């Protein structure tokens, strides 16, 4: 037993893996029971899949990406995703409005800085939005590196760096903006700046379905919507674990990416809390401040 | 036998359930044979699913939601859907243009006032568009209540009221605007102001697929496109019955919402008129004027 | 052996069918190995399906359809598709920017003039874009006839003429713009102006899935992205053959258009180069200049 297992912030005791697995199982049940309203302002490639993921999970999806309604709706929702994949002019203003509405109402929100780095409009927008203090940020390593100003960005939505390469950038961002940062990869890296949690669930096929990463952003918003007095870190980790255990469950019925997508939705609806608890593969690391 | 079974409008004799089931079966065949061109100006979450529903059914989908083309295309189409789910600035003008083009050419059109009530832009737009006299309106109870000015609207696309709660509002709207009003729910309620038809087909899984309700709006437009001398009420009821019997057929092959969506499309292509006739669950009620 | 079998352009020897089948097989492997980045500026109905087709095939999809990024991204991509299905105001400018960026960087690009003919905005835009000299154009017969100024256009995305009817228009366009022209139909017709290749693979179910034609445009861009020193004609033919042999493979698992779509994606990921070579049905015709 080293000191690092005794968190320095007693008000927010760092969970250990077995407790995180239990929390993921319980939060999945709560999402199904409470059906949080998740507002997604997201890119035009993944809208349908994202809504289907939320419906399968038991959450209530809505996508209101127009100026004059996005902010109002963000205030009424239980969670919000802002995803920068196809940020048309009107949607950019709706994103700003949604983030402001969420902040005003206390709605937790997630920023997904898709493909930032080289592309100038979304890169500037991501810098602006992260300064508005999202509850969590989810991206691949390239995007997290670019958000921290440390990388050149990806060439699309696939990562060209593994999650571990973005560990310092993620820690720095978490501390600077008070957000939980989630870096997707074969092993995801999730940090609140004082602990790093790694989730090794999921499967490569999830990267062969468009929206496999983007929809996770909305699922994080759903879990944040039923967070209660759990930490943001626990909610974000729980979302990853439930989502990715469902992906593993879908594998046994899939013969390729097309049938996988259908069975993944089935699995999101059917995976049991017990399965999530038993299948969770989580590593926990306390980090010196 | 009460007087109420003898309609007061002899020029438009109210059909009884067995005739409605027969009409649904016949109209399904006609949609397949004639492949009506259905123009859908719809939300960016359900475009793909809606087009796939129409293709599976045998109709010809097209989505022309830009100013300068939407009205022209509405005039050439056999049916039009205007769905308010994600009404961006340009699309709002295209909707107005499409409704005007449909009215000028005599193209039947359907209004789906998605999520109106609290959200101001679409609520005002729905009031404007319903005044342009759509052939039919389809929504959940919250939306129909809001359209009639009697409710506070829903929180998204799921209904927070059951269809029966919107019966007075639906009757009032039908009489005021001369439209058939369809209220979706576990049992749908459809009225032309002088009769109320209830359809109890379908399955809850249809609400777990995004676009399950929105695509029905386009299917109604397809059936209106082959209406001939049948009443609008018959066409709208037929669309509901065929669509929802297909959903029931899909159930036996589905293991959750993802596989259900795929098999629902298969079922729309494969369900036979005989199956539709045999499986139809319709109730008919004459209403005092 | 007539002279017409000896091409007039010795620097670009016309391939014969057996060599075309071999090339299709080899190029499929290269797409999987090299994962070309394919930028698709496409319509809002088929974005998700198009991305899933590219992912299944092993390519890397991205869709950057905003002004200020579309041109930059086209320069960085290995191939570009510009599809005119839902050309909103902002997207129209992004298309112009993308085409210019592709031309400047030497990125091969494909134009899909969806539903041109009667609809004025896209018809004018197609005329403008084809003059910017795309590497290839893909459409149905109605669209190719309209692009050549010889037809009245289709009524949507389904062809009302068969591919053969567009043969003179395709040859004329190929020669006028220096592009390979691909006309989709039960038998596709593909020409560079000096040879006509016909591909008889595929299945009618592909026309019952929205995006079945549109996604092929992106697949052509993917094959052009790994073209090397092969001719554009060979790359375009190869894309058709690989795509359509996968469709045939999917048939044995499908019970309708919904399950077909899922199994088609599986087949794109699983079809082997040997299967493509063996199943290719190609006819080759040398054309007098």
């Amino acid at each position: 037993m080293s000191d690092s297992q005794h968190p320095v912030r007693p008000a927010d005791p760092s969970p250990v893996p077995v407790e995180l697995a239990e929390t993921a199982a319980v939060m999945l049940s709560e999402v199904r029971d409470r059906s949080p309203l998740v507002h997604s302002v997201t890119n035009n490639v993944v809208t349908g899949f994202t809504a289907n993921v939320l419906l399968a999970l038991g959450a209530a999806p809505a996508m209101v990406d127009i100026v004059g309604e996005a902010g109002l709706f963000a205030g009424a929702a239980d969670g919000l995703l802002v995803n920068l994949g196809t940020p048309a002019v009107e949607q950019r203003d709706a994103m700003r409005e949604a983030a402001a509405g969420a902040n005003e109402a206390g709605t937790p929100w997630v920023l997904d800085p898709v493909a930032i780095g080289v592309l100038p409009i979304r890169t500037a927008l991501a810098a602006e939005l992260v300064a508005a203090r999202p509850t969590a940020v989810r991206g691949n390593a390239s995007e997290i590196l670019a958000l921290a100003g440390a990388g050149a960005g990806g060439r699309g939505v696939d990562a060209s760096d593994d999650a571990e390469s973005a560990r310092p950038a993620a820690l720095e961002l978490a501390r600077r903006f008070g957000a939980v940062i989630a870096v997707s990869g074969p092993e995801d890296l999730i940090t609140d700046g004082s602990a790093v949690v790694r989730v090794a669930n999921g499967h490569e096929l999830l990267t062969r379905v468009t929206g496999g990463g983007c929809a996770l952003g909305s699922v994080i918003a759903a879990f944040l919507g039923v967070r209660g007095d759990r930490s943001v870190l626990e909610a974000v980790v729980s979302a990853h674990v439930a989502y990715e255990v469902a992906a593993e469950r879908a594998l046994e019925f899939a013969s390729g990416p097309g049938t996988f997508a259908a069975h993944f939705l089935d699995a999101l609806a059917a995976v049991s809390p017990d399965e999530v608890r038993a299948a969770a593969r989580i590593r926990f690391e306390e980090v010196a401040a």
Side-chain angles (χ1 to χ4, degrees), chain A:
Chain A
M1 296 281 278
S2 76
D3 272 359
S4 72
Q5 288 181 298
H6 298 277
V8 290
R9 299 186 307 176
D12 183 11
S14 297
V16 293
V18 64
E19 287 161 356
L20 284 171
E22 173 64 21
T23 299
V26 170
M27 292 196 81
L28 172 61
S29 290
E30 294 187 11
V31 167
R32 288 176 178 161
D33 290 345
R34 295 169 54 188
S35 193
L37 177 60
V38 179
H39 181 197
S40 302
V41 182
T42 192
N43 71 75
N44 61 32
V45 185
V46 304
T47 47
F49 184 70
T50 299
N52 280 330
V53 160
L54 289 169
L55 286 168
L57 193 67
M63 290 168 178
V64 177
D65 61 351
I66 64 171
V67 172
E69 292 188 350
L72 190 63
F73 201 71
D78 297 305
L80 166 71
L81 169 72
V82 176
N83 171 302
L84 306 188
T86 55
V89 169
E90 182 177 4
Q91 207 197 41
R92 294 204 285 274
D93 286 335
M95 288 171 177
R96 293 179 177 105
E97 189 184 298
N103 281 342
E104 192 172 344
T107 303
W109 65 287
V110 179
L111 175 67
D112 188 336
V114 179
I116 66 164
V118 170
L119 297 171
I121 290 172
R122 68 191 65 205
T123 303
L125 183 59
E128 176 187 339
L129 287 170
V130 75
R133 299 204 162 244
T135 314
V137 178
R138 190 213 75 84
N140 60 38
S142 299
E143 293 156 353
I144 298 302
L145 287 165
L147 192 63
R155 60 173 206 165
V157 293
D158 60 329
S160 46
D161 301 287
D162 77 5
E164 214 58 39
S165 68
R167 184 183 180 280
L171 281 167
E172 194 273 323
L173 284 168
R175 290 165 180 164
R176 186 169 10 145
F177 295 107
V180 164
I181 309 295
V183 191
S184 295
E187 188 175 52
D188 309 308
L189 183 154
I190 305 163
T191 183
D192 62 359
S194 64
V196 172
V197 178
R198 291 175 180 83
V199 176
N201 293 104
H203 188 269
E204 183 269 345
L205 266 181
L206 204 47
T207 68
R208 299 288 291 274
V209 176
T210 196
C214 294
L216 174 54
S218 286
V219 170
I220 294 170
F223 276 71
L224 287 171
V226 300
R227 177 166 73 92
D229 57 6
R230 282 165 293 229
S231 71
V232 171
L233 182 65
E234 286 173 292
V236 175
V237 168
S238 292
H240 280 75
V241 171
Y243 190 78
E244 294 175 5
V245 170
E248 293 171 5
R249 181 189 160 111
L251 273 182
E252 68 182 288
F253 306 102
S255 57
T259 51
F260 174 78
H263 286 289
F264 177 54
L265 294 173
D266 286 5
L268 283 167
V271 67
S272 73
D274 282 350
E275 282 177 273
V276 168
R277 187 188 299 106
R281 291 193 286 152
I282 303 172
R283 294 197 293 143
F284 181 84
E285 173 201 2
E286 192 74 21
V287 180

